[in-house]
Amino acid sequence: MSEPRTIDLDFLLGWADRYGLWVPSPPVASWLDRDRWLKERESGIGSSEIHLLYSGDPDDARQLYLRKSGEWEDDAESWDLRRGRELEAVAVAEYERATGRRTIPMPMIRRRDRPWALTDVDRIVLPGSGTGSWYVDEPLVLEVKVVRWHVLKRYRDKGLPDRIILQCAHHAFVTGFPRVSVWVWNADSGAGLPLDLTPDRALVDSIADVGGRFWADHIEARVLPSVAHPVEGVVVEGPDGEAFDHARDEAWAEAAGAFRLAEPAYRDASEQREEAVARLRRLCGDRYGTHIGAGVSAAFALRAGSVKWQDTVKRIAALGPVDPA
């Protein structure tokens, strides 16, 4: 779903100026001219890229160099990325419905003092909006993630990964806003996870040094970062330690492609099923027997030997520490 056709650009630019945001003129935005927007991204380090300089993997820094020097041939856009882009407007509408907040789009933003630092925010949350605990009296950057079900569940259970934390810190570095709102949303279930983050100040400040040195030492100097372990093709470890290289095997490539498509859907379905079964078990309470309704017949019984040994081990481990004797 694309951006609305009518956007008051003068209002957006005036609002940005009021809060000290520098939007280059003429403004660049994917919903104005996507080709120009893609080209403009080569002239700086964006929020979705900064994690490549913190991973500690020289291959990541090399990839970023090739992208910014124009030497990288982009792969075809994956379905996950395309789906996230196309459903962004729908996800934003769901965020506004869940929080009561109002948002506006914004063209690409740069720092005046460090033009290499740019960000293309998904939305800006307007101050003076939000219901209940979601009310805000200051503007926030909104970062939207349209994800598969198992990813939403993982983020909800274990927290956001480092790359998103770094992305939020970069947003804060470029805009000067101390807080960032993250909306993780699953289109299949309509479930969402709203989070307001205050990135660590030391991490935000470090971006000036890490990004600035990379830009000066590699992009401006045209020095390719060293590579510690170049890998080509697909390598599968055999039972005796030998390696079988299938890089040029068309049948393997076709099978691998089918696996990549099927695996996320399998994880989604498996985790959704596990969560649904857990909910049914909770609703059964301590009433043993057969529970019937809404097209489902659930047999809830307690019989000797019916509990899997893996479940037993997990339950014992959860009580730890356990005396191995």
Side-chain angles (χ1 to χ4, degrees):
M1 185 173 182
S2 60
E3 289 285 349
R5 292 180 180 274
T6 57
I7 294 179
D8 189 339
L9 192 57
D10 289 338
F11 168 78
L12 298 183
L13 298 181
W15 193 94
D17 185 64
R18 185 191 319 163
Y19 284 94
L21 304 181
W22 181 41
V23 178
S25 183
V28 180
S30 59
W31 33 268
L32 290 175
D33 185 337
R34 183 166 178 80
D35 290 338
R36 181 166 173 261
W37 173 77
L38 289 170
K39 184 65 178 177
E40 196 73 15
R41 290 179 62 190
E42 295 181 3
S43 63
I45 301 174
S47 297
S48 62
E49 300 168 322
I50 192 66
H51 73 278
L52 295 171
L53 299 181
Y54 283 81
S55 70
D57 187 344
D59 290 344
D60 287 343
R62 179 187 177 92
Q63 179 192 132
L64 185 59
Y65 171 87
L66 295 174
R67 289 182 183 277
K68 300 308 169 183
S69 63
E71 301 176 39
W72 180 273
E73 293 186 8
D74 280 326
D75 300 326
E77 188 177 38
S78 69
W79 166 237
D80 279 346
L81 289 175
R82 194 167 79 252
R83 179 183 58 181
R85 175 165 54 82
E86 296 293 338
L87 292 179
E88 181 181 295
V90 180
V92 169
E94 291 299 309
Y95 171 82
E96 293 181 336
R97 185 175 294 111
T99 63
R101 292 172 174 176
R102 291 179 294 117
T103 68
I104 56 173
M106 186 62 63
M108 186 178 290
I109 304 167
R110 290 183 185 270
R111 281 190 60 133
R112 289 183 183 274
D113 56 343
R114 296 179 176 86
W116 57 264
L118 58 84
T119 187
D120 191 65
V121 302
D122 292 330
R123 293 294 191 282
I124 296 289
V125 177
L126 292 173
S129 67
T131 56
S133 61
W134 295 109
Y135 177 82
V136 288
D137 55 10
E138 60 182 359
L140 278 69
V141 171
L142 173 61
E143 178 61 38
V144 176
K145 300 295 182 186
V146 180
V147 301
R148 295 178 183 271
W149 173 257
H150 73 273
V151 176
L152 172 62
K153 185 175 186 297
R154 184 170 72 245
Y155 290 178
R156 186 180 60 199
D157 295 344
K158 300 181 179 180
L160 298 175
D162 289 346
R163 61 179 178 80
I164 296 181
I165 299 298
L166 284 162
Q167 186 175 17
C168 292
H170 190 279
H171 281 319
F173 173 68
V174 176
T175 64
F177 296 167
R179 292 200 298 159
V180 176
S181 186
V182 179
W183 174 241
V184 185
W185 184 68
N186 173 250
D188 296 328
S189 65
L193 176 66
L195 299 167
D196 284 352
L197 307 179
T198 302
D200 180 73
R201 191 68 244 174
L203 178 61
V204 175
D205 293 341
S206 74
I207 291 174
D209 178 56
V210 173
R213 281 192 290 108
F214 175 82
W215 198 261
D217 295 347
H218 297 289
I219 304 303
E220 292 180 345
R222 282 294 187 265
V223 175
L224 183 68
S226 60
V227 181
H229 45 276
V231 177
E232 295 180 1
V234 178
V235 177
V236 180
E237 291 296 328
D240 299 320
E242 68 269 28
F244 303 96
D245 191 345
H246 295 269
R248 295 173 178 81
D249 187 334
E250 291 184 6
W252 178 276
E254 183 178 349
F259 173 80
R260 289 198 306 271
L261 289 174
E263 179 65 8
Y266 171 78
R267 289 199 303 267
D268 283 355
S270 297
E271 297 200 15
Q272 280 184 281
R273 183 183 186 280
E274 289 177 8
E275 185 163 296
V277 168
R279 290 173 62 187
L280 290 171
R281 284 175 177 166
R282 288 194 295 269
L283 292 173
C284 290
D286 57 359
R287 297 171 296 172
Y288 297 116
T290 301
H291 297 255
I292 302 173
V296 173
S297 176
F300 183 51
L302 183 64
R303 297 188 299 272
S306 63
V307 179
K308 296 180 181 179
W309 71 269
Q310 296 100 324
D311 294 335
T312 304
V313 171
K314 289 179 180 177
R315 294 179 187 184
I316 293 175
L319 299 174
V322 179
D323 184 348

